[in-house]
Amino acid sequence: MDNENTKSPSNVSSCVFSNTDSKDYRCVVILTVKRATGTFSLVGCVFMLFVIWLLRRYHSLAQKMILSLTVAAFFDSMAYVMGESHPEGSLCKFQAWWLTYFDWSALAWVCLITLNLYLNLVREISTNRYEMLYHLMAWGVPLVMASLPLLKGYYGEAGAWCWITDNHVAWRFGIWYVPLFSLIFLMICCYARIIYVANKRMQSWLGTFNPERERRKVSLAEEIKPLKWYPSVYLLVSIFPLNNRLHNAFYPQNPSFTLTLLHVLSAPLHGLANAFVFGLDRDWWSLLSPTGLQLALQSRLCDRTRIGEYYPGAVRYTQADLVDLSDDDDDDTNVLFYSPDMTLKDRGP
C-alpha cells in the first residue's frame, strides 16, 4: 500500500528508496514500474465497468456489489498514477488520504461479497434488505480509517507516493497491514466453510436424476470457482508490500531495492487482480463472443424501439392462446447461490 520510507533533503531531489539522486536508474525503474502497474489496474477496472455497463449487470445485489468493488478499485488505481512523490503539503496529504480510503473501500467490498455469500449459502438468509447496510460499511469504515492518520498529522512523504510517514511505523501496521491480513484469514475461513457446505449439498442431490437439480448443481459449482479467488489474489498482492514494510521497520537506513521493486510491482495491482477474478467467470466470455458483443452493442447504442399508433385488427383467439405460459422463475436474483431444497429466510443474522 505504501512504498519505501525515505527522508528527502529539502535541497535535493531524492530517490524514492534511498538517499541518492533522483536520476539514479533504480529510482527511474521504481517510478516507471509503479506507473505501469497502476495503469494496468486502471485499464482492468475500465474494462470491467464497460462490460458491466454493456451487459447491464447491475440489477441484482450480487452484481451491484461487484460494480461497487470495481468503482473502488478504479479510484484506488488512480492514486498510484497521480505522479511522483509530492512534497509535504496539502496535495501530499490528499494523495495519502485518497490511497488509504480506496484501498480500504476495495478491501471492504471483497469482505462483504464473502459475507453475502456466506449468509446466502451457509446461513440461508436473504440479504436483500442489507444493501444499504453494506454501502454504509463499505464507504463509512474506510472514511474512519483514512481520516485517523490525517487528523493526527501522520500523512506525508513515503517514497513513490504519499502515505503514513516512516516516523509512525506502528500506525502503518495498525491502520492497514494487521487488519488486512486478519480479514484475509477470516475470508479464507469463510470460503472453506462455504465450499464445504456447497460440496455437502451437491452430494445430497445425488440419486434420482432431475434436470433442474443438475442444472442448479452445475451453476452452484461454477459460481463458487471465481469468487473464491478474491481473498487469494488479495493475499498474493499484499505479501511483498508486507515484507518490504517489515524490512523497513527493522532496517530503516538500509532499504532494499529488490523488495521495493516487488512492492511497487504488486501493491497497485488490486484493480487488475479483480479484473482477473472477474474474467474467471466463463459466462462473461460466452456473452463477449463476437456475435454476443455485436448484439449487446446494438442493444445499447442502436435501440430502434419506436412508439407509434396502434391499429386494432381482427384477432381470433384459440384455447391454447388463453393458457398462461409465464414462467415464475426470476433469473435476476439477489443471492449468489441457491439449491432446490433451500429456502432463503428473511431473518436477522
Side-chain angles (χ1 to χ4, degrees), residues 48-68 70-71 131 135 278 284 296 299-300 332-334:
M48 289 178 63
L49 291 172
F50 171 74
V51 172
I52 291 171
W53 168 82
L54 180 65
L55 301 180
R56 294 182 171 89
R57 293 303 180 94
Y58 43 72
H59 296 295
S60 71
L61 177 58
Q63 293 169 354
K64 290 176 183 178
M65 294 177 75
I66 293 177
L67 172 60
S68 298
T70 307
V71 171
E131 181 177 353
H135 279 281
F278 187 77
W284 292 105
S299 173
R300 268 295 186 181
D332 186 20
T333 60
N334 284 321

Side-chain angles (χ1 to χ4, degrees), residues 198-210 213-214 217-218 339-341:
N199 290 335
K200 187 175 180 180
R201 184 163 291 140
M202 284 189 289
Q203 291 175 2
S204 69
W205 295 346
L206 298 177
T208 306
F209 178 78
N210 184 317
R213 180 174 294 177
E214 290 299 315
K217 181 168 66 173
V218 172
S339 71
D341 304 319

Side-chain angles (χ1 to χ4, degrees), residues 106-259:
L107 176 63
W109 278 116
V110 172
C111 292
L112 289 172
I113 289 173
T114 304
L115 175 63
N116 191 67
L117 182 61
Y118 179 86
L119 293 176
N120 289 166
L121 182 63
V122 179
R123 297 287 301 277
E124 301 182 14
I125 297 173
S126 175
T127 54
N128 230 11
R129 59 197 179 97
Y130 296 155
E131 181 177 353
M132 292 305 299
L133 179 60
Y134 286 162
H135 279 281
L136 181 62
M137 295 175 63
W139 304 115
V141 172
L143 180 62
V144 174
M145 301 301 288
S147 298
L148 286 175
L150 179 65
L151 296 175
K152 298 290 288 186
Y154 293 163
Y155 284 142
E157 290 186 80
W161 50 76
C162 294
W163 196 51
I164 300 174
T165 61
D166 57 324
N167 294 326
H168 306 96
V169 174
W171 273 75
R172 287 178 171 177
F173 285 90
I175 287 291
W176 180 245
Y177 288 108
V178 172
L180 169 67
F181 282 89
S182 299
L183 290 172
I184 289 176
F185 174 76
L186 291 175
M187 284 192 289
I188 291 175
C189 293
C190 282
Y191 273 106
R193 177 63 177 170
I194 289 168
I195 293 173
Y196 170 79
V197 171
N199 290 335
K200 187 175 180 180
R201 184 163 291 140
M202 284 189 289
Q203 291 175 2
S204 69
W205 295 346
L206 298 177
T208 306
F209 178 78
N210 184 317
E212 178 64 15
R213 180 174 294 177
E214 290 299 315
R215 183 186 71 80
R216 294 183 178 183
K217 181 168 66 173
V218 172
S219 176
L220 178 62
E222 290 299 322
E223 289 282 0
I224 290 178
K225 285 181 181 178
L227 292 175
K228 70 182 180 182
W229 290 108
Y230 274 120
S232 300
V233 296
Y234 263 75
L235 178 62
L236 290 176
V237 300
S238 301
I239 289 177
F240 291 124
L242 175 65
N243 289 337
N244 190 40
R245 287 294 89 219
L246 289 172
H247 183 274
N248 295 158
F250 287 106
Y251 307 101
Q253 302 302 322
N254 297 288
S256 168
F257 171 71
T258 301
L259 288 177

